[in-house]
Amino acid sequence: MTPVELSRTVLHAVRRAVDEGELAVAVLPERVVVAPPGPGGCGDYATNVALQLARPAGKPGPAVAELLRTRLLHVDEISDVVVTGPGFLNISLAGGADARLARLVRGILRAGPRYGHTRDLAGQAPALHAAPEVRALVLMDSVARVLRSQGARPHMHCARPPQDAWIRILGLPSDITLAPGTDPPLRPVPAPADPTPLGRHAARWALLHPAPHDHPRIGGAENDAHLAQRETNPLFRVRYAHARVRALLRNAADLGFTPEPGPLASDGDTQAVIQLLSDHPRVLAATAAHRAPDRLARHLVTVADALAPLLPDVLPLGDEKPSAAHRARLALAEAAGTVLAGGLSLLGIDAPDHL
């Protein structure tokens, strides 16, 4: 069960409790956030949905949590649910760590670049509004992409049309409505110089990677840094990690083996990658909610940096024969590359197979 599937399972339990009269809640949450347990928690995932429902339901948080716990224990893929603190639900998945890892990786590979996409915002049509400035428009375009990944159908508005070069080089849409929107205007710190000499990918990254309140570094020597193919350039690290994964898949095919999710070592490097992949759906939801593509960009850098130490051990060395461990490591690498490609596409940036 992936985090997205678990989120839907918990939400289904909430809806059943309301439908059957156990909870009197007028407005149900649109989605349930599940995340690794915090201090004092246990299990694989935790959620505070019971705390969110306690006040509108007129019940103490622990009572709501216990009600939902009883329902969740009937789910085959959940082995245990523990209530802690003021009403946190701590959920353990069935099958042990190896089975959960295999399900996670298999789920990512099955979903492809759409891993983390949901229908949680279906029916919403936010009217985004950007200041008539290149960074604001690129920000709005990326926010719209992420909102679509969560099921919304956003409309983009601006007082003036984007310049032709911004459409042609930066990939901005040409059908932006020339009128105010109803969302709060997106007004990041403006770009200090024309970003188009960087080309689409580096320019969009330079505009989106800094938080909206931070100054983007564009122009002069700063452009050289964005285009440099070295480890000091975070965009290069992300795209290079994806390209290395694609190269490993090609090399594995030449050696006659393919990725297959399975047990992996429980060392810190491996667990860090697994945790980041599990967290990807939450990052997409937070990016959509806060209209903040910089959150997604930073997450991709973290995934790429965590993946790097694992890649040298993916393929067999010398006369070594491909084993189940090699296939499992290759599957994890492919899953991480899939997350990188999907995240970059939401920023309007390509993930190359060769770099």
Side-chain angles (χ1 to χ4, degrees), residues 73 77 130 136 140-141 158 174 224 242 256-257 291 307 310 345:
L73 286 173
E77 292 178 287
M140 180 171 67
D141 177 47
C158 186
S174 58
D224 294 336
H242 177 267
F257 77 100
R291 311 294 197 254
L307 179 63
L310 303 184
S345 71

Side-chain angles (χ1 to χ4, degrees), residues 137-138 140-141 144-145 148 155-179 200 204:
L137 287 164
V138 169
M140 180 171 67
D141 177 47
R145 291 168 185 257
R148 291 189 198 102
H155 302 281
M156 292 184 282
H157 300 74
C158 186
R160 295 198 302 268
Q163 296 181 17
D164 290 342
W166 300 351
I167 296 171
R168 178 169 40 85
I169 298 174
L170 303 182
L172 288 178
S174 58
D175 59 349
I176 295 174
T177 302
L178 303 182
R200 173 171 176 166
R204 290 184 71 105

Side-chain angles (χ1 to χ4, degrees), residues 20 56 100 110 125 130 200 248 265:
E20 295 177 15
R100 291 193 294 273
R110 183 172 58 246
R200 173 171 176 166
L248 288 171

Side-chain angles (χ1 to χ4, degrees), residues 51-114:
L51 297 176
Q52 297 174 29
L53 295 170
R55 181 181 294 274
K59 293 176 178 287
V64 176
E66 188 60 38
L67 187 154
L68 296 176
R69 173 182 178 274
T70 302
R71 291 182 171 275
L72 291 172
L73 286 173
H74 292 291
V75 178
D76 290 340
E77 292 178 287
I78 293 177
S79 64
D80 194 18
V81 182
V82 176
V83 178
T84 58
F88 291 103
L89 287 165
N90 298 264
I91 302 169
S92 297
L93 301 181
D98 290 341
R100 291 193 294 273
L101 170 60
R103 283 195 295 266
L104 171 67
V105 173
R106 197 170 285 114
I108 294 172
L109 298 182
R110 183 172 58 246
R114 292 179 59 82

Side-chain angles (χ1 to χ4, degrees), residues 53-349:
L53 295 170
R55 181 181 294 274
K59 293 176 178 287
V64 176
E66 188 60 38
L67 187 154
L68 296 176
R69 173 182 178 274
T70 302
R71 291 182 171 275
L72 291 172
L73 286 173
H74 292 291
V75 178
D76 290 340
E77 292 178 287
I78 293 177
S79 64
D80 194 18
V81 182
V82 176
V83 178
T84 58
F88 291 103
L89 287 165
N90 298 264
I91 302 169
S92 297
L93 301 181
D98 290 341
R100 291 193 294 273
L101 170 60
R103 283 195 295 266
L104 171 67
V105 173
R106 197 170 285 114
I108 294 172
L109 298 182
R110 183 172 58 246
R114 292 179 59 82
Y115 169 63
H117 292 208
T118 73
R119 298 291 298 163
D120 290 342
L121 301 184
Q124 296 188 24
L128 303 176
H129 180 208
E133 183 271 332
V134 62
R135 189 184 185 200
L137 287 164
V138 169
L139 177 67
M140 180 171 67
D141 177 47
S142 184
V143 167
R145 291 168 185 257
V146 178
L147 284 168
R148 291 189 198 102
S149 80
Q150 303 301 294
R153 300 184 65 182
H155 302 281
M156 292 184 282
H157 300 74
C158 186
R160 295 198 302 268
Q163 296 181 17
D164 290 342
W166 300 351
I167 296 171
R168 178 169 40 85
I169 298 174
L170 303 182
L172 288 178
S174 58
D175 59 349
I176 295 174
T177 302
L178 303 182
T182 55
D183 252 30
L186 298 170
R187 295 185 181 276
V189 174
D194 178 14
T196 57
L198 288 168
R200 173 171 176 166
H201 308 302
R204 290 184 71 105
W205 183 268
L207 296 170
L208 294 172
H209 182 241
H213 59 268
D214 290 335
H215 291 264
R217 301 185 310 170
I218 295 175
E222 301 288 5
N223 284 4
D224 294 336
H226 290 302
L227 296 172
Q229 294 198 15
R230 54 177 180 261
E231 291 188 353
T232 54
N233 180 356
L235 175 59
F236 171 75
R237 298 206 303 274
V238 173
R239 300 179 87 204
Y240 182 59
H242 177 267
R244 285 187 70 188
V245 169
R246 302 310 301 175
L248 288 171
L249 289 166
R250 292 192 296 270
N251 293 338
D254 291 341
L255 294 173
F257 77 100
T258 57
E260 178 59 39
L264 285 167
S266 58
D267 59 89
D269 289 342
T270 301
Q271 293 306 310
V273 172
I274 293 168
Q275 188 56 65
L276 289 167
L277 300 186
S278 299
D279 208 31
H280 185 65
R282 185 196 62 79
V283 172
L284 293 186
T287 298
H290 296 281
R291 311 294 197 254
D294 60 289
R295 294 186 178 215
L296 174 57
R298 291 195 300 273
H299 175 66
L300 298 180
V301 175
T302 305
V303 172
D305 290 347
L307 179 63
L310 303 184
L311 297 182
D313 295 325
V314 169
L315 298 181
L317 301 176
D319 296 332
E320 188 180 9
K321 299 296 183 183
S323 66
H326 290 114
R327 287 187 281 272
R329 286 195 289 265
L330 183 62
L332 180 63
E334 185 180 13
T338 299
V339 165
L340 295 176
L344 285 173
S345 71
L346 294 176
L347 300 177
I349 299 171

